[in-house]
Amino acid sequence: MLQDPTGRLLYVGDSATLSFLQLLRMMVENVAGPSTFTNDPRRHKIIEGQFSLPSSARYTHLLPDKRTAIILVDAFFINTHGFLQVFERQIFLAELERCYSDPLSTEPSWLCLLNLVFAIGLMLATPRVGSNEAVTVGKLRSEHLDRAEVFYLNAKSLNDPMTGFEDADFWSVQALLLMSVYMLAKSKRNTSFALLGMAVRSAYALGLHREETMVIFSPDEQAARRNLWRSLFVLDRFLSCSLGRPTAISEDDCSGNSLRPPNPHGDTDAFGYNAAFPSTSTFSQTGAFALEAAVRSCSVIGTILKRVYQQRKISTRLAQEIADICKLWPKALAPSLHWRQAATATPSQGVAILHVNLFYCHSIVLLTRPFFLFILNAETQKQVTQNTTGIRPSRTYSRMEKFSEACVIASTHTIVLVQNAFEAGYLPRRNPTVIYFLFAATLVILANEFASLYTNLAADQCILNAVEVMAYCAESDQQASRLLYILSTFRDAVSAQRARKKRNHTAMMAMGSISAQMYGTAQQQPHITSPLHTTHQPPLYQTPVHVYPDLHRSP
């Protein structure tokens, strides 16, 4: 139970990274004593963003000029690619053109949706430095008021989907979903969770979850209904795993192809052209492939939440059963979405690659983290015993080790994925999914280094990269600023523990190198020159064979 800024106590469940963090604090304090990491004064609080505009503020409902509108709409579609597909891009742009040609005849419901798109687009926009788009976005962000917040409040004032909620129509579901996304980006997770619940209930009432309701709609309407339902599903699974709360959508209630297309790749690439030239896939093709891949990952996440975290128990047999499903994910992934394509991808394709691969990696982290936590707890208890008796018991978790180790491998790859996007210049500062997955992965890497469970030659560079990216996000995002403080204090605790072991001449644990398994070659152990810097680092951009078992490694 964590306290929000208003004093309410909010529930955060076992699958949430905040719950994992609290367990880590207790283990670290048990071994190393109190520190700024374990005695964080805000450790019992949860960040919930607040609106900056006064409640008495007047809304003009004025639209930005057409050029600015197109920039914000493009930013929305680029930065939600592979995560949401609320609209078909070309249809939306055509409607935008009609709106600016004849604004007086535009429906208030569509103006509501347009303002929500402006709000999310402005929050997530990452234009190329020095471009005309960067000048426009910078001007909007430098105003004395939060322009994204103005767009959001304009949307509610024009046609609030929560007014007359019992009569919700298709546009209302779209609006509630967009409002949930906006609140998530604004670090109002509890509000986002509530809004999504309203959107899902309205979608159930409209029959979006049933394939047999589609026959009375045109092909374009059928595609729009399926994509909206799948977008709701992806956001539902993300919010459920990140807050540790029950899911709103049950797959048992979905029929036919409402969640998964019968053959997502075959109809659009009959001659294998996109497979041979992945970078030539169009925006709509990449979007269809990416949403399908995200749904498959989120389906696994839902299974893990239901069979592991809801039951609060796991076995190696169950873990292997779910892991066998996870292994199928890379084999079905469209070539244009493989993480190696990120280096040459357009921003929209790069963001889609980032989203779908992060969801996949986090499904592995969620599945394997209970084993990692069990071994971590046992090993920290042994360290306490060793400090008092001088005797360290042997390690006997052979059946769990491969799952625990896979948690560190998937976390390492998560940081590599985010670093690739950061270096390519298209990583948004306020993308809530990226910030969450990055934080979850970095905690695992730091915990592994604290307890010296597995030798991870990439760890120090990954930690440095993760902190650098989080600092980049913290410049604009309140949530990232808080997470940056947590990672920095945990890194200090790891440095102090390494120095303590060095002083006491503690023997390092002999374990197989994760780097050798990830990159397929034996790596020489680095010489540690400072707590978090090494003189030699392995290449970070080779294919992790445990994460993508079906792919061949490059030399």
Side-chain angles (χ1 to χ4, degrees):
M1 302 295 290
L2 297 176
Q3 192 176 47
D4 76 353
T6 67
R8 290 184 305 168
L9 290 175
L10 300 178
Y11 173 73
V12 176
D14 292 333
S15 66
T17 300
L18 289 176
S19 295
F20 177 59
L21 170 65
Q22 188 60 20
L23 294 173
L24 291 180
R25 284 197 178 109
M26 291 189 289
M27 293 182 196
V28 169
E29 185 168 16
N30 193 34
V31 173
S35 64
T36 52
F37 172 64
T38 60
N39 290 342
D40 185 343
R42 292 186 288 172
R43 63 188 179 278
H44 301 305
K45 298 183 182 297
I46 185 171
I47 292 291
E48 285 286 307
Q50 303 297 315
F51 282 111
S52 59
L53 294 179
S55 57
S56 59
R58 297 177 63 186
Y59 312 118
T60 63
H61 300 161
L62 293 176
L63 295 176
D65 64 88
K66 186 176 177 181
R67 179 178 168 278
T68 300
I70 292 173
I71 290 173
L72 295 179
V73 169
D74 279 344
F76 168 82
F77 280 102
I78 288 171
N79 290 289
T80 58
H81 210 36
F83 176 48
L84 303 173
Q85 197 166 343
V86 186
F87 311 103
E88 176 59 41
R89 185 180 190 179
Q90 295 305 318
I91 295 176
F92 190 89
L93 290 175
E95 192 66 35
L96 180 70
E97 186 68 34
R98 282 192 290 273
C99 172
Y100 274 83
S101 300
D102 187 10
L104 293 179
S105 64
T106 305
E107 292 290 334
S109 58
W110 198 85
L111 288 174
C112 170
L113 295 173
L114 180 60
N115 274 275
L116 290 172
V117 167
F118 287 160
I120 297 170
L122 181 55
M123 293 184 79
L124 300 183
T126 314
R128 183 170 49 83
V129 176
S131 64
N132 293 331
E133 290 83 358
V135 174
T136 301
V137 170
K139 182 180 178 181
L140 290 171
R141 289 175 174 169
S142 63
E143 295 180 1
H144 68 281
L145 47 76
D146 186 338
R147 181 56 63 180
E149 194 172 303
V150 171
F151 286 136
Y152 175 82
L153 294 175
N154 277 344
K156 288 195 66 175
S157 177
L158 280 162
N159 202 356
D160 191 347
M162 288 186 284
T163 302
F165 174 65
E166 65 277 8
D167 300 320
D169 202 351
F170 187 76
W171 79 268
S172 306
V173 182
Q174 292 175 310
L176 287 168
L177 174 57
L178 292 175
M179 291 168 68
S180 179
V181 173
Y182 173 83
M183 288 299 181
L184 189 59
K186 198 169 175 64
S187 301
K188 293 177 72 70
R189 288 167 288 185
N190 202 60
T191 308
S192 176
F193 181 77
L195 287 168
L196 182 75
M198 296 174 67
V200 170
R201 287 295 184 188
S202 296
Y204 273 133
L206 298 178
L208 266 63
H209 62 302
R210 305 299 295 185
E211 181 69 21
E212 55 270 27
T213 64
M214 298 290 183
V215 294
I216 61 174
F217 297 98
S218 69
D220 286 346
E221 290 174 319
Q222 290 184 27
R225 290 169 67 88
R226 287 194 184 98
N227 288 336
L228 181 59
W229 180 246
R230 290 164 187 163
S231 299
L232 288 167
F233 179 76
V234 171
L235 187 59
D236 175 50
R237 291 304 187 260
F238 174 75
L239 283 172
S240 292
C241 75
S242 61
L243 291 173
R245 298 177 186 172
T247 57
I249 296 176
S250 169
E251 287 192 64
D252 294 338
D253 294 328
C254 303
S255 68
N257 301 320
S258 59
L259 276 180
R260 300 184 186 182
N263 186 9
H265 302 166
D267 295 337
T268 57
D269 192 20
F271 300 101
Y273 182 80
N274 294 328
F277 303 99
S279 61
T280 63
S281 297
T282 66
F283 184 93
S284 59
Q285 287 172 335
T286 305
F289 297 160
L291 188 59
E292 186 267 337
V295 166
R296 285 192 292 114
S297 288
C298 288
S299 178
V300 174
I301 288 173
T303 300
I304 296 168
L305 293 176
K306 182 177 180 179
R307 301 185 65 184
V308 177
Y309 289 93
Q310 182 179 324
Q311 303 299 324
R312 305 198 76 186
K313 61 184 179 182
I314 192 172
S315 65
T316 53
R317 177 180 296 178
L318 174 60
Q320 187 60 56
E321 179 184 330
I322 299 175
D324 289 340
I325 300 173
C326 289
K327 288 178 183 178
L328 301 176
W329 188 90
K331 298 177 181 178
L333 186 66
S336 60
L337 293 173
H338 188 272
W339 70 278
R340 285 180 180 275
Q341 300 294 331
T344 58
T346 61
S348 61
Q349 183 187 358
V351 169
I353 290 170
L354 180 65
H355 279 141
V356 299
N357 283 276
L358 284 180
F359 270 104
Y360 170 61
C361 285
H362 193 68
S363 69
I364 297 174
V365 171
L366 269 184
L367 175 63
T368 56
R369 196 166 63 190
F371 297 106
F372 175 79
L373 198 54
F374 181 87
I375 295 177
L376 179 69
N377 182 55
E379 290 302 304
T380 52
Q381 294 294 333
K382 289 177 183 178
Q383 288 187 24
V384 174
T385 303
Q386 184 180 17
N387 291 340
T388 55
T389 65
I391 301 172
R392 186 181 183 89
S394 59
R395 204 155 137 184
T396 56
Y397 318 111
S398 57
R399 295 175 63 187
M400 297 186 190
E401 291 286 3
K402 68 175 182 177
F403 295 108
S404 175
E405 205 168 26
C407 186
V408 183
I409 293 171
S411 298
T412 301
H413 192 57
T414 294
I415 297 174
V416 170
L417 289 167
V418 177
Q419 182 66 17
N420 282 343
F422 177 64
E423 291 178 354
Y426 52 73
L427 181 69
R429 294 181 190 270
R430 302 189 70 173
N431 187 315
T433 58
V434 174
I435 291 171
Y436 179 81
F437 292 146
L438 176 65
F439 179 63
T442 311
L443 284 184
V444 172
I445 301 296
L446 284 166
N448 179 64
E449 294 304 298
F450 178 84
S452 303
L453 294 185
Y454 309 103
T455 302
N456 184 359
L457 301 183
D460 291 337
Q461 189 62 49
C462 281
I463 294 167
L464 291 173
N465 290 344
V467 171
E468 180 185 8
V469 172
M470 196 65 77
Y472 160 81
C473 296
E475 293 177 14
S476 302
D477 190 272
Q478 179 185 10
Q479 177 72 12
S481 178
R482 170 68 179 137
L483 301 183
L484 175 63
Y485 174 82
I486 295 171
L487 294 181
S488 299
T489 55
F490 196 4
R491 181 180 59 177
D492 293 342
V494 171
S495 299
Q497 179 70 356
R498 285 178 171 179
R500 192 178 299 111
K501 288 182 178 181
K502 189 173 182 180
R503 285 196 305 269
N504 297 336
H505 302 286
T506 304
M508 298 298 291
M509 298 172 64
M511 291 298 301
S513 169
I514 282 183
S515 184
Q517 297 181 51
M518 285 186 70
Y519 308 113
T521 56
Q523 299 282 351
Q524 183 180 357
Q525 286 282 359
H527 172 65
I528 298 176
T529 56
S530 66
L532 285 177
H533 294 271
T534 62
T535 57
H536 170 69
Q537 293 295 341
L540 290 181
Y541 304 101
Q542 297 297 312
T543 304
V545 293
H546 279 211
V547 180
Y548 291 101
D550 60 310
L551 298 174
H552 295 292
R553 296 183 297 276
S554 63

